[in-house]
Amino acid sequence: MSVEVKDEQVYNSSMLGFLPMASISPDISQSASVTGTTSVHNVGEWPYVVSDNLHHSLDGKENWADLTVHAGQTFTLSGNASYRNLKVDAGATLKLGAGAIKVGNITMESGSKLEFVNPGRETVIIADGNVIWSAQIVNSDLQTVAKGFKLIEYAPGNIHIEGNWAGTIHARWCDLALERIQRNAYGSFVAKKIYLGNGLTIYRVHFSPIPLTDMV
């Protein structure tokens, strides 16, 4: 039941709990409440370090194809796919399978749907551009989804999440806006700044994918 922050500020009246801090305590404003304790971690103990080597996997993205899933369409994306621009229109459904997907810009319009084909299996999106994420995750067990899904963003800027959310976000150069998430979110978050909405409860779920041998 928490959000994890690193040298950031948390805004608006939201509930946070159990905040292991990488360095300093967050700046809490506008009646946000914090439960649990804070502690200082050495850099080596910080659990969300992402290798910069992954960033090099996005070299040449300007030559990749674009993918747009139009209204009324359903598209399944998995494996080691690479796209310059990924766009899911309102009324479209993206089915996301296990594997690592590399993209430049991501636009998931309001009214689009996202289904995890293998919830809990390791599913990673590595991005290096703009991220607008307004899709509704249709899986019923969001805690299981959160165990296996991670979004890594290398580009500086802003990430806007709406609808619902399940998974880890690692975006250390970004401002992460969670203000429009519906009621509950599941996962762990690293960002430059994190903005929370009124009445939002975040349930801490660490990235711990289910091994293939444990899948039924």
Side-chain angles (χ1 to χ4, degrees), residues 109-129:
E109 291 188 346
S110 179
S112 64
K113 296 180 179 179
L114 176 63
E115 178 182 351
F116 287 84
V117 179
N118 312 109
R121 287 278 309 281
E122 184 168 352
T123 306
V124 179
I125 293 179
I126 306 169
D128 188 24

Side-chain angles (χ1 to χ4, degrees), residues 20-92:
M21 303 304 298
S23 55
I24 63 173
S25 297
D27 178 13
I28 302 296
S29 61
Q30 298 186 28
S31 302
S33 58
V34 179
T35 60
T37 59
T38 63
S39 60
V40 176
H41 287 248
N42 294 324
V43 173
E45 296 174 337
W46 180 244
Y48 297 111
V49 173
V50 172
S51 171
D52 286 336
N53 290 333
L54 285 176
H55 198 183
H56 297 304
S57 68
L58 297 164
D59 292 345
K61 65 180 182 296
E62 62 275 3
N63 299 317
W64 297 346
D66 295 336
L67 173 64
T68 299
V69 187
H70 297 287
Q73 295 181 334
T74 298
F75 188 85
T76 300
L77 186 58
S78 60
N80 296 310
S82 302
Y83 293 98
R84 179 176 57 183
N85 297 297
L86 170 61
K87 185 172 184 285
V88 184
D89 291 340

Side-chain angles (χ1 to χ4, degrees), residues 89-106:
D89 291 340
T93 299
L94 178 66
K95 292 189 174 183
L96 198 57
I101 299 162
K102 294 171 287 188
V103 295
N105 302 301
I106 302 173

